[in-house]
């Protein structure tokens, strides 16, 4: 668990440094982005890795635009001011969020904020991109080892209740994808239902019935918390409860 602790510490340091700098520079979007990144760190290595990869890509794109003369520092600042500064998850339930191209508002907002930065110059963008690239490398190396302490504890619990239907909640679609993939690799292919906000009500009903009749596990975002009867399920796991390895 030493590498997990190291990644946790280094991402936390990155988030705290840039959260403070964002506050000093009145970059509320960048501060919110750091809060979301910290939540994704607590959720799963895969969710963290995907967010860091997208963040690095957006920083690289901003650097390219400035170097190509397509964006200046005032334009960079204006673009940052147009980003969200409050989270839709604080004001709407999953069912109230609009769905566009298979993404809930919260997911789209997260992806927008992956481009939020407190950097004000080309040099600062370059420094932050290097920081993020280093964290991407750490997260990718850890993920490739397929040893995640929190998942191993989950598997211990599932093994202890072999005949029980289990509902696993996560806030993030990336973590849902991670859990489905890892559980299938453990031999549960064909036994896992899934529900997320990108599904319409009919698709959710199909997955609910699959869970009731055949599947052993339902992995779901909070979309499953609205208007779906899961009273036949007796065991609930909140996978995103903050976890410090």
């Amino acid at each position: 668990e030493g590498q997990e602790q190291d990644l946790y510490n280094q991402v936390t340091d990155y988030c705290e440094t840039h959260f403070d700098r964002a506050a000093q520079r009145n970059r509320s979007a960048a501060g919110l982005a750091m809060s979301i990144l910290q939540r994704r760190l607590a959720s799963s290595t895969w969710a963290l890795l995907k967010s860091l990869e997208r963040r690095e890509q957006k920083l690289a794109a901003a650097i390219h635009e400035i170097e190509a003369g397509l964006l200046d520092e005032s334009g960079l600042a204006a673009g940052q001011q147009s980003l969200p500064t409050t989270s839709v998850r604080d004001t709407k339930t999953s069912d109230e969020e609009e769905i566009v191209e298979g993404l809930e508002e919260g997911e789209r907002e997260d992806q927008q904020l992956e481009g939020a930065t407190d950097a004000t110059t080309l040099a600062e963008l370059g420094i932050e991109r290097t920081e993020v690239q280093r964290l991407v490398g750490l997260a990718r190396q850890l993920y490739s080892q397929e040893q995640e302490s929190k998942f191993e504890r989950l598997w211990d619990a599932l093994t202890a209740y072999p005949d029980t239907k289990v509902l696993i909640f996560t806030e993030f679609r990336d973590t849902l994808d991670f859990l489905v993939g890892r559980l299938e690799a453990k031999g549960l292919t064909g036994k896992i239902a899934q529900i997320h906000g990108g599904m319409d009500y009919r698709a959710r009903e199909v997955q609910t019935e699959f869970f009731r009749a055949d599947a052993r596990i339902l992995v779901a975002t909070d979309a499953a918390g609205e208007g779906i009867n899961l009273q036949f399920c007796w065991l609930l796991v909140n996978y995103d409860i903050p976890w410090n390895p």
Side-chain angles (χ1 to χ4, degrees), residues 1-2 8 12-13 30 38 47 95 100 107 123 189 191 201 203 205 209 211 215 235:
E1 296 180 4
Y8 186 94
T12 299
D13 288 346
Q38 193 80 42
D95 265 19
V100 179
E107 293 174 309
T189 299
K191 293 295 182 182
Y201 188 77
E205 283 289 298
E209 178 57 24
F211 182 39
L235 193 61

Side-chain angles (χ1 to χ4, degrees), residues 79-223:
Q80 292 297 312
Q81 293 298 331
S82 70
L83 293 171
T85 57
T86 57
S87 175
V88 69
R89 291 189 178 94
D90 293 335
T91 58
K92 294 184 179 182
T93 67
S94 182
D95 265 19
E96 291 171 336
E97 292 181 32
E98 294 179 18
I99 308 298
V100 179
E101 296 180 353
L103 292 177
E104 298 175 47
E105 280 183 83
E107 293 174 309
R108 286 205 318 280
E109 182 181 84
D110 289 354
Q111 292 187 14
Q112 281 181 291
L113 287 166
E114 282 159 351
T117 176
D118 56 64
T120 58
T121 66
L122 177 61
E124 287 181 348
L125 280 171
I127 291 168
E128 185 172 4
R129 183 191 179 193
T130 300
E131 285 182 275
V132 174
Q133 284 176 316
R134 183 177 58 79
L135 295 174
V136 165
L138 290 174
R140 191 174 287 152
Q141 181 180 21
L142 183 61
Y143 178 76
S144 69
Q145 295 173 7
E146 298 189 3
Q147 292 293 325
E148 186 154 328
S149 296
K150 188 162 66 164
F151 179 80
E152 296 306 321
R153 302 300 185 276
L154 172 66
W155 185 248
D156 288 345
L158 295 177
T159 303
Y161 295 91
D163 301 316
T164 303
K165 288 186 181 291
V166 181
L167 170 60
I168 305 173
F169 266 126
T170 175
E171 182 178 7
F172 302 107
R173 182 98 65 96
D174 285 329
T175 296
L176 181 149
D177 293 339
F178 159 77
L179 287 169
V180 171
R182 284 282 164 93
L183 289 168
E184 287 181 342
K186 289 282 194 180
L188 292 175
T189 299
K191 293 295 182 182
I192 304 171
Q194 54 181 298
I195 293 176
H196 55 73
M199 294 176 168
D200 63 24
Y201 188 77
R202 186 173 300 172
R204 297 184 202 183
E205 283 289 298
V206 168
Q207 289 296 303
T208 301
E209 178 57 24
F210 172 49
F211 182 39
R212 188 194 67 76
D214 297 308
R216 180 187 165 197
I217 295 169
L218 170 62
V219 186
T221 66
D222 58 354

Side-chain angles (χ1 to χ4, degrees), residues 11-54:
V11 173
T12 299
D13 288 346
Y14 167 79
C15 288
E16 289 177 349
T17 297
H18 288 277
F19 186 89
D20 291 345
R21 194 177 298 168
Q24 293 164 7
R25 295 181 173 183
N26 194 29
R27 290 284 183 89
S28 299
L32 179 58
M34 293 302 102
S35 299
I36 292 168
L37 188 62
Q38 193 80 42
R39 293 216 306 270
R40 292 176 73 88
L41 167 65
S43 181
S44 70
T45 304
W46 179 248
L48 172 69
L49 173 59
K50 299 312 290 181
S51 194
L52 287 171
E53 285 178 340
R54 291 188 292 259

